[in-house]
């Protein structure tokens, strides 16, 4: 994994049980264009990556969480920019695997913290972080380190 990715994700390690970021056994990332169709491509990328890591059995839960994190990044950070245009940094999906953990992390250009709302199952939206919390073993977020604007929202899955 590149030093730039390790530096960018440095705050992420603060929320985890002790892991060595250099001991990542697999990592993959994809830039997500600023359109809602990116959610579908993020799911396909996740399926392909998990298949390559022989983790097909985790796809349903991980894909649901990836879909929610990417949708939130697009809706609340990328497409919500006051004058959305090509200068808005895109969202980026990172998948990282250790021997006992899988992390899905989505970077976006907003400095605003994610807010988990009430789980109103009659509503058409607003359940994203509730689902992330329900399907992953833990989740959190951190502002990007350094001079960059933005944040990383991550979800951790324990591997069988």
């Amino acid at each position: 994994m590149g030093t730039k990715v390790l530096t960018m994700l440095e705050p992420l390690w603060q929320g985890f049980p002790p892991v060595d970021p250099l001991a990542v056994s697999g990592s993959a990332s994809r830039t997500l264009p600023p359109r809602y169709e990116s959610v579908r491509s993020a799911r396909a990328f996740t399926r392909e990556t998990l298949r390559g890591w022989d983790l097909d059995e985790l796809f349903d839960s991980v894909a649901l969480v990836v879909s929610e994190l990417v949708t939130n990044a697009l809706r609340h950070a990328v497409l919500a920019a006051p004058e959305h245009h090509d200068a808005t940094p895109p969202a980026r999906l990172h998948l990282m695997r250790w021997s006992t953990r899988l992390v899905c992390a989505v970077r976006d250009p907003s400095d605003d913290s994610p807010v988990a709302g009430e789980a109103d199952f009659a509503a058409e939206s607003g359940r994203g972080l509730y689902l992330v919390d329900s399907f992953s073993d833990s989740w959190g977020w951190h502002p990007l380190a350094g001079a960059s604007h933005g944040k990383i929202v991550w979800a951790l899955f324990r591997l069988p």
Side-chain angles (χ1 to χ4, degrees), residues 61-80:
S61 295
V62 174
L64 180 121
V65 167
V66 163
S67 296
E68 295 301 333
L69 295 180
V70 169
T71 298
N72 284 350
L74 293 171
R75 179 177 291 145
H76 301 292
V78 176
L79 298 175

Side-chain angles (χ1 to χ4, degrees), residues 13-93:
W13 315 127
Q14 297 168 11
F16 286 174
V19 294
D20 179 1
L22 298 175
V24 171
S25 61
S27 68
S29 66
R30 165 125 342 143
T31 298
L32 305 167
R35 54 182 179 269
Y36 286 115
E37 293 81 15
S38 292
V39 176
R40 184 175 4 161
S41 68
R43 288 175 63 90
F45 173 73
T46 300
R47 179 182 297 279
E48 174 186 309
T49 302
L50 292 180
R51 185 172 289 143
W53 291 341
D54 293 324
L55 296 173
D56 292 307
E57 71 277 6
L58 296 178
F59 174 73
D60 291 337
S61 295
V62 174
L64 180 121
V65 167
V66 163
S67 296
E68 295 301 333
L69 295 180
V70 169
T71 298
N72 284 350
L74 293 171
R75 179 177 291 145
H76 301 292
V78 176
L79 298 175
E83 292 183 15
H84 174 71
H85 49 73
D86 292 336
T88 302
R92 187 159 187 86
L93 169 63

